[in-house]
Each structure stands twice: as C-alpha cells, then as structure tokens.
Amino acid sequence: MNGTIGCSCSIADDNLCHITSFDLTRNYLNGTIPVEWASMKNLSSISLTANRLSGNIPGYLGNFTALTYLSLESNQFSGVVPPELGKLASLDTLILSSNKLVGTLPEALAQIKDLGDFRVSDNNLNGTVLEFIGNWTQLRKLRIADTPGPEFPLPIVPEKMNHLVLRNINLSGIIPKEAWDVEKTLDLTFNKLVGELPSTTIRRQFTFLSGNMLTGTVQEAFIERNTYL
C-alpha cells in the first residue's frame, strides 16, 4: 500500500465509526495522521509503524481518548513530542522510536498513569529522563537511548519491570536496587554510573553495563548469564 492516509466518518461508511483498531504497519504511507480519525470514538489501537509519515506528531492525537495502544515507530516525524499526548489517560503502550523528534519529553506525559510500555529511542531528543517515570507504576518496558543532556541520577523505576533500556543518556551515580530487580533486560551502557556490582544472583536474561565506571568483583552469577560489562 502507498499514498496518503485519510478517513472521515461523515463521508465514509458508518461502520468506520465503530472501528476499534487500525493497523497500517509496513506500508509506504506518507503525509500525516488525519484529524478526521478523532471522530472514531471507539478507536483503541493505532499502529503506523514503518511508513514514511512526516511532519510534527499532531497534537489532536490527544482527542483519541479511547486509545490504549499507539505506535508511530520508524517514520519521519519531526518536532517535539506533543504534550497533548498526556490526555490519553487509558494508554498502555506508546512507541515513538526511530523518528526525528527533538526537544525534551513533556511533563504532561505524567498524566498517563497506567502506561506500561514507553519507547522513544533513536531520535534527536535531549534533556534528562524525568522523575515522573517512577510514578508509572504499571511500567513493564522502558526504552530511551542516545539522549544528550546534563548528568542526572537514574530515576527510581517501578517494580516488576521486564525491560529497562537507558543507554547513552548521561546517567550518573549508583544503580539503585530497583533497577537490579528488572526481570529480563537491563541495558545501562555508555553512561557514567559508579559503584559496585551486587553479589546477589542475577536472574534476568540479558544485562548490559559496558561503558560505565563500575567497580568491584564480577560475580560468577554475572558470568553465567548473558552479561556484558
């Protein structure tokens, strides 16, 4: 499929107004997201991954109040992450990776209380990872990478996270206990973290810690797992 995307319930089949999911992944779509989509009040999932959409991420996405899943990954969106996304109170998954986004993450994202999966790596963002991430108590997966800015400590992360990737974002200080409890993937490479590795058994599948200033003895539990120091 190629071309632009568009739809309006006022001119299209009434059944479109009852659509709950839009998946246009891996096509050749260009342009941007039509404001008319906001009239589809039951739309809970939008995936536009791997297309050629460009321009700013439209703020009117904040009107898609039923959304629980939004992926704009691997497009050519530019500009800042719009604060209007904070209106998506039901959102569980927000994936903005691999675009051309700039600026800092808006504090309005803190309003999405039940966010479980947030990915924004491979952009041109700057600034720090905001402390409100620790308030996303349902967070299972967090991926932010290659974001220049001032040094800052690793925020407290929620319990029972599966994947925590904070690579090359100028983290400093020690790694808090909560981060060591991440279950599957812990990637904190190329930061300025210090302190000793814990002696407790690491149960996760992958651990990446190279490019820091950690000290201490490498425990056998690290060597037995897929751990990169």
Side-chain angles (χ1 to χ4, degrees), residues 36-166:
E36 291 85 359
W37 282 17
S39 63
M40 294 187 282
K41 301 299 183 182
N42 296 312
L43 197 59
S44 62
S45 175
I46 297 176
S47 179
L48 298 172
T49 300
N51 281 285
R52 299 174 180 177
L53 302 173
S54 59
N56 293 342
I57 295 176
Y60 50 72
L61 281 177
N63 295 327
F64 293 57
T65 53
L67 275 185
T68 60
Y69 182 96
L70 175 62
S71 177
L72 306 179
E73 184 177 15
S74 297
N75 280 283
Q76 300 174 24
F77 286 111
S78 56
V80 300
V81 177
E84 289 87 349
L85 295 184
K87 298 178 182 178
L88 301 176
S90 299
L91 205 61
D92 171 81
T93 300
L94 177 58
I95 306 176
L96 305 175
S97 303
S98 300
N99 282 285
K100 300 177 181 179
L101 301 173
V102 299
T104 59
L105 296 176
E107 293 190 9
L109 294 179
Q111 301 171 34
I112 311 175
K113 299 296 185 181
D114 295 327
L115 195 64
D117 185 347
F118 180 59
R119 288 174 257 174
V120 72
S121 59
D122 191 22
N123 280 287
N124 299 312
L125 298 170
N126 57 54
T128 62
V129 178
L130 302 177
E131 291 185 0
F132 66 70
I133 286 175
N135 295 328
W136 288 339
T137 57
Q138 306 303 313
L139 200 62
R140 306 178 308 274
K141 180 181 293 185
L142 176 64
R143 185 182 179 93
I144 304 174
D146 305 316
T147 302
E151 292 184 21
F152 66 102
L154 180 65
I156 295 176
V157 298
E159 297 179 356
K160 298 181 180 179
M161 283 195 67
N162 293 325
H163 305 274
L164 176 61
V165 178
L166 296 174

Side-chain angles (χ1 to χ4, degrees), residues 141-209:
K141 180 181 293 185
L142 176 64
R143 185 182 179 93
I144 304 174
D146 305 316
T147 302
E151 292 184 21
F152 66 102
L154 180 65
I156 295 176
V157 298
E159 297 179 356
K160 298 181 180 179
M161 283 195 67
N162 293 325
H163 305 274
L164 176 61
V165 178
L166 296 174
R167 185 179 63 246
N168 190 26
I169 62 172
N170 221 12
L171 289 173
S172 60
I174 63 172
I175 300 174
K177 177 184 180 300
E178 293 82 4
W180 293 116
D181 292 335
V182 172
E183 294 183 359
K184 294 183 179 179
T185 303
L186 176 64
D187 185 349
L188 302 175
T189 52
F190 302 108
N191 285 291
K192 298 177 181 177
L193 297 167
V194 298
E196 294 191 0
L197 303 174
S199 58
T200 54
T201 301
I202 303 303
R203 295 169 295 178
R204 76 186 64 85
Q205 188 173 6
F206 298 104
T207 305
F208 304 90
L209 300 172

